[in-house]
């Protein structure tokens, strides 16, 4: 529609489209410009800390160190995304810049899990404790490609630390119901503020 001059401005496109063939073609470059700006939107994975295996902060710290956030930003978002540490928009005074994201450190992740009693006792490649494997099910909305690709990358990173990740999908209404009822182990979501002011 933009190239056909049906609209003057088009916003919020996928990263792969922003860098894709259409924006490289002369039909685009002869008449149009592309730019980007940061918005108060972020994606995150939340853990159900009411569950025994996720109630231990050491386990959650281990999970944070098991995911290579910067590599994900570089590969998925061409280095344009920003890793953040809180819910406030990072370009406002409400954001705490003193906090830094956990560094990717799979060895530290394994150590923290072991300190919490989770390590591979039976040689199957998955950390276990009291006869239970460390398997985490992460809930995502059905058909949400951003969540799906993110959790697949989480699956890969966590696997190196001995944590198996299974992806659960639910239709939006069911997804919301399960979220509000805390019927999940992990859940991948995104939040978008309508205003840069937030309380």
């Amino acid at each position: 529609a933009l190239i056909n001059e049906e609209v003057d401005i088009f916003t919020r496109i996928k990263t792969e489209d922003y860098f894709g063939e259409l924006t490289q073609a002369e039909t685009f470059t002869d008449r149009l410009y592309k730019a980007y700006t940061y918005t108060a939107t972020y994606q995150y994975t939340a853990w159900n800390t009411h569950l025994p295996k996720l109630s231990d902060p050491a386990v959650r710290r281990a999970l944070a160190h098991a995911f290579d956030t910067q590599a994900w930003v570089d590969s998925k978002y061409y280095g344009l995304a920003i890793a953040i540490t809180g819910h406030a928009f990072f370009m406002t005074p409400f954001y705490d810049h003193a906090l830094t994201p956990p560094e990717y450190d799979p060895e530290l992740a394994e150590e923290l899990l072991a300190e919490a009693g989770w390590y591979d006792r039976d040689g199957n490649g998955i950390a276990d404790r009291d006869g239970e494997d460390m398997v985490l099910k992460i809930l995502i909305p059905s058909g949400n490609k951003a969540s799906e690709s993110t959790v697949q990358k989480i699956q890969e990173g966590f696997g190196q630390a001995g944590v198996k990740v299974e992806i659960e999908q639910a239709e939006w209404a069911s997804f919301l119901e399960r979220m509000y009822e805390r019927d999940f182990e992990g859940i991948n979501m995104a939040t978008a503020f309508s205003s840069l002011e937030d309380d």
Side-chain angles (χ1 to χ4, degrees), residues 111-123:
E111 287 174 23
L112 289 168
L113 284 170
E115 286 173 18
W118 294 95
Y119 58 91
D120 185 11
R121 293 170 173 84
D122 56 13

Side-chain angles (χ1 to χ4, degrees), residues 77-97:
Y77 298 104
Y78 294 74
L80 294 182
I82 302 287
I84 60 170
T85 59
H87 73 278
F89 183 36
F90 79 98
M91 293 179 77
T92 65
F94 315 115
Y95 185 81
D96 186 352
H97 287 276

Side-chain angles (χ1 to χ4, degrees), residues 137-151:
K137 296 177 182 174
I138 301 180
L139 180 66
I140 65 172
S142 295
N144 186 312
K145 296 301 180 189
S147 281
E148 188 174 356
S149 59
T150 300
V151 176

